[in-house]
Amino acid sequence: MKTAALSSPVPAAARPATGLRGRTVLWGGLGLLVALIAIGAFLPRWLVFLLTMAASHGLVSLGIVLLMRSGVVSFGQGLVFAIGGYAGALCFNQLGITDALLLTLAGGLAAVLVALPFAPLLARYRGIFFAMLTLALSMVCYGVLVKTNSLGGSDGFNMGRATLLGQTLSDERVAYVLYGVTVAVSGVLALLARVYFDSTRGLIAQAVRENELRVEYLGGSVRQAVALNFGMAAFAGGCGGALTVMSLGHIDPNFSYWTTSGEFVFVAILAGSQSVLAVFVASTLLEVVRSFSSLYFPNTWQLSLGLFLLLMIRFLPGGIGSLWMKKK
């Protein structure tokens, strides 16, 4: 009886409701995206920069949430973050590619190319073993970057000002335009992630977290699901790295350091694995708390972040996303 129930088609009455909800989320996300870009034109420059960093870093943390849904956590997301940033900066300085969208795409693809060879190996491990292996890869990348003088060594190097669709960005417009590009790219990838979460493959990845043996018994591939999520997480992290470098105008090996990866894990835990929007809300909260804590408590701002995370775990163990996803 249970087997028959599992294999039976979804009732016709349930399918339109699911499709309507998906369309509502999609159009609502697009509307929020347009509103955020429009509001940025009226915000002070310092706040525009803060939100730009929050969006680009949130995109990297979104990759960790993708992995969390399949039951693993990457402590080495700084690897793809750094690869994406270095790829974007090198394309600008060495290849003469200056368009912001092309640099973002180059960063994402470079991160995927670096991460994919390790995906089959990492897909075999779970728990602390997966976390430590990813952390080790990130620190190996950090060591290589520090010792590579052609890439600036421990000091890194600068990159010039990006363009957009062939248009040079003036001093007055550059911050807002890069904000708009960052929010647009992050928003589109976030909507695609939401679609993936609700797709068959996305639900299989979530089932892997609950019961790997049952997924294999039903004909799914656990390793393939984890490897796929790892590749998508690498693309998101690479795009986030390229977007961050374009706003900062500088890159150095600290992009791959373990503390950087720890911040992305911090955001993922703060957001939870239920909501895509919560990732960017958590990233914005982190940037705000860090900025004001370092301003008013310059010697103990890390303590403020730690207390903030402890309070969130105590009162919202499911993450920020549980505030609205629990009702659904």
Side-chain angles (χ1 to χ4, degrees):
M1 294 296 291
K2 291 183 179 180
T3 305
L6 287 172
S7 60
S8 61
V10 179
R15 288 196 296 268
T18 303
L20 178 61
R21 183 176 63 184
R23 288 193 294 270
T24 302
V25 171
L26 180 61
W27 286 110
L30 290 174
L32 178 62
L33 193 60
V34 173
L36 287 173
I37 294 175
I39 291 172
F42 304 98
L43 297 177
R45 194 181 184 93
W46 68 267
L47 186 55
V48 168
F49 178 78
L50 185 147
L51 293 177
T52 303
M53 292 294 101
S56 61
H57 292 172
L59 189 56
V60 186
S61 298
L62 179 61
I64 297 180
V65 171
L66 277 166
L67 292 169
M68 287 172 60
R69 289 179 69 88
S70 56
V72 293
V73 178
S74 172
F75 282 11
Q77 194 71 352
L79 167 68
V80 292
F81 182 59
I83 294 297
Y86 271 91
L90 289 173
C91 284
F92 185 96
N93 291 344
Q94 303 297 328
L95 302 181
I97 300 174
T98 61
D99 186 80
L101 296 176
L102 290 179
L103 292 174
T104 302
L105 180 61
L109 293 177
V112 171
L113 289 175
V114 171
L116 278 185
F118 302 104
L121 170 65
L122 293 172
R124 299 169 55 187
Y125 296 92
R126 301 291 180 272
I128 191 65
F129 302 103
F130 184 95
M132 290 296 101
L133 280 172
T134 53
L135 177 60
L137 291 174
S138 178
M139 292 308 296
V140 167
C141 177
Y142 171 79
V144 171
L145 293 174
V146 168
K147 298 298 183 180
T148 306
N149 293 327
S150 60
L151 296 178
S154 59
D155 295 327
F157 60 92
N158 296 329
M159 69 171 287
R161 181 176 299 175
T163 62
L164 182 62
L165 302 178
Q167 301 296 316
T168 303
L169 306 180
S170 62
D171 293 339
E172 294 77 16
R173 298 175 56 230
V174 61
Y176 172 68
V177 172
L178 290 178
Y179 162 82
V181 170
T182 303
V183 170
V185 172
S186 301
V188 169
L189 291 181
L191 290 175
L192 292 176
R194 182 71 263 173
V195 172
Y196 171 72
F197 287 173
D198 296 331
S199 68
T200 301
R201 286 191 176 275
L203 294 175
I204 289 175
Q206 191 170 3
V208 168
R209 182 181 64 186
E210 304 299 332
N211 194 319
E212 292 187 18
L213 183 61
R214 184 170 294 179
V215 171
E216 292 282 357
Y217 179 75
L218 293 174
S221 174
V222 171
R223 293 184 181 180
Q224 186 182 65
V226 175
L228 177 63
N229 280 11
F230 185 72
M232 290 189 293
F235 183 78
C239 290
L243 290 168
T244 300
V245 170
M246 282 187 286
S247 294
L248 293 176
H250 180 82
I251 186 168
D252 58 66
N254 285 324
F255 274 53
S256 186
Y257 200 56
W258 69 270
T259 54
T260 304
S261 297
E263 291 181 4
F264 299 139
V265 175
F266 182 102
V267 172
I269 294 174
L270 195 61
S273 61
Q274 303 180 52
S275 170
V276 171
L277 177 62
V279 179
F280 296 95
V281 174
S283 182
T284 304
L285 278 176
L286 173 63
E287 293 296 329
V288 170
V289 171
R290 176 165 53 187
S291 297
F292 284 94
S293 295
S294 60
L295 177 63
Y296 294 106
F297 311 104
N299 297 321
T300 59
W301 66 270
Q302 295 93 338
L303 176 63
S304 302
L305 285 179
L307 291 174
F308 180 67
L309 181 60
L310 287 175
L311 291 173
M312 291 299 300
I313 292 175
R314 171 62 181 85
F315 296 104
L316 281 177
I320 293 176
S322 63
L323 289 174
W324 55 84
M325 296 299 291
K326 190 180 294 185
K327 296 180 181 180
K328 293 183 180 181

